[in-house]
Amino acid sequence: NAGVTQTPKFQVLKTGQSMTLQCAQDMNHNSMYWYRQDPGMGLRLIYYSASEGTTDKGEVPNGYNVSRLNKREFSLRLESAAPSQTSVYFCASSPGPLTDTQYFGPGTRLTVL
Amino acid sequence: GQQVMQIPQYQHVQEGEDFTTYCNSSTTLSNIQWYKQRPGGHPVFLIQLVKSGEVKKQKRLTFQFGEAKKNSSLHITATQTTDVGTYFCAGRNTNAGKSTFGDGTTLTVKP
């Protein structure tokens, strides 16, 4: 089992460019999450998907969109990247519902110039 | 919305000293999880507490869930350099659909 995988590991964008961060899990989990972590800071929830076919906004959704493509995959899209979106992005999954243990991917380190 | 507060934000200890981080919620929690993030790494699940007053141990780590299910603590006995990292708690409000993370406590250990 690979657990939670994320691609790419690193990315540099110019302001205004778009990109999609990919996340997949092979644990048959129902719930998936996208977080951002700025240097020296905690985890801030961007979007989450409680189950296949549903998505909900977290604390900091502005500038992002998500797609729960199927049970395994949950992608995060930046339509027009801004320097303020420079961060480390973590995807996580949990068995759900009411089973809250989250398993995190290795992260994507994104720099927007 | 649900708030989970974690203190202290930073803790610097000499190797061999004990360390404790505290997690407090304004509302009753269904459960609480603890995670560890090594520098440059991703958060890794340590443990989940569910019952009021629950205490669990993992080697030198002791986790407690308060009687009112509004607070929790993680205590490390005789810290080692391998304990370095940020420790996060995450709790689910009884009426919420997901857990909320605290801001974490970053532990540094001086050899």
Side-chain angles (χ1 to χ4, degrees), chain B residues 47 55-59 61-63:
Chain B
I47 207 159
V55 178
K56 286 188 176 180
K57 293 190 176 184
Q58 290 180 349
K59 297 183 180 178
L61 277 62
T62 303
F63 304 85

Side-chain angles (χ1 to χ4, degrees), chain A residues 4 9 14-15 43 55 77 84 92:
Chain A
V4 179
K9 286 186 169 52
K14 294 181 180 178
T15 298
L43 301 161
T55 60
R77 183 159 178 85
S84 60

Side-chain angles (χ1 to χ4, degrees), chain B residues 4 7-8 12 16 24 27 35 38 44 49-51 54-55 62 65 75 77-78 84 99 101 104 106-107:
Chain B
V4 175
I7 56 171
H12 311 283
N24 297 296
T27 58
Y35 298 80
R38 295 181 187 274
V44 174
L49 305 172
V50 178
K51 300 176 183 176
E54 189 169 14
V55 178
T62 303
F65 202 7
H75 179 83
T77 303
V84 163
S99 295
F101 276 81
T106 297
L107 172 66

Side-chain angles (χ1 to χ4, degrees), chain A residues 25-43:
Chain A
Q25 52 91 9
D26 62 1
M27 296 175 283
N28 200 35
H29 285 173
N30 289 301
S31 302
M32 297 185 74
Y33 311 81
W34 276 106
Y35 295 90
R36 62 176 287 175
Q37 186 176 39
D38 299 333
M41 304 293 285
L43 301 161

Side-chain angles (χ1 to χ4, degrees), chain A:
Chain A
N1 281 354
V4 179
T5 57
Q6 291 184 238
T7 55
K9 286 186 169 52
F10 301 93
Q11 183 72 51
V12 178
L13 293 177
K14 294 181 180 178
T15 298
Q17 288 185 317
S18 62
M19 80 162 295
T20 299
L21 281 62
Q22 307 287 353
C23 174
Q25 52 91 9
D26 62 1
M27 296 175 283
N28 200 35
H29 285 173
N30 289 301
S31 302
M32 297 185 74
Y33 311 81
W34 276 106
Y35 295 90
R36 62 176 287 175
Q37 186 176 39
D38 299 333
M41 304 293 285
L43 301 161
R44 290 190 289 171
L45 182 66
I46 306 171
Y47 272 94
Y48 69 103
S49 170
S51 61
E52 185 179 357
T54 69
T55 60
D56 286 286
K57 294 178 180 179
E59 300 171 67
V60 289
N62 291 347
Y64 305 95
N65 285 300
V66 290
S67 295
R68 184 74 184 266
L69 303 168
N70 47 55
K71 192 171 186 180
R72 290 187 63 248
E73 298 171 289
F74 189 38
S75 63
L76 178 72
R77 183 159 178 85
L78 286 70
E79 289 292 350
S80 179
S84 60
Q85 294 178 305
T86 293
S87 191
V88 179
Y89 291 84
F90 289 106
C91 176
S93 70
S94 65
L98 302 182
T99 307
D100 296 312
T101 303
Q102 293 188 30
Y103 298 85
F104 285 78
T108 294
R109 282 149 182 80
L110 175 68
T111 301
V112 183
L113 302 175

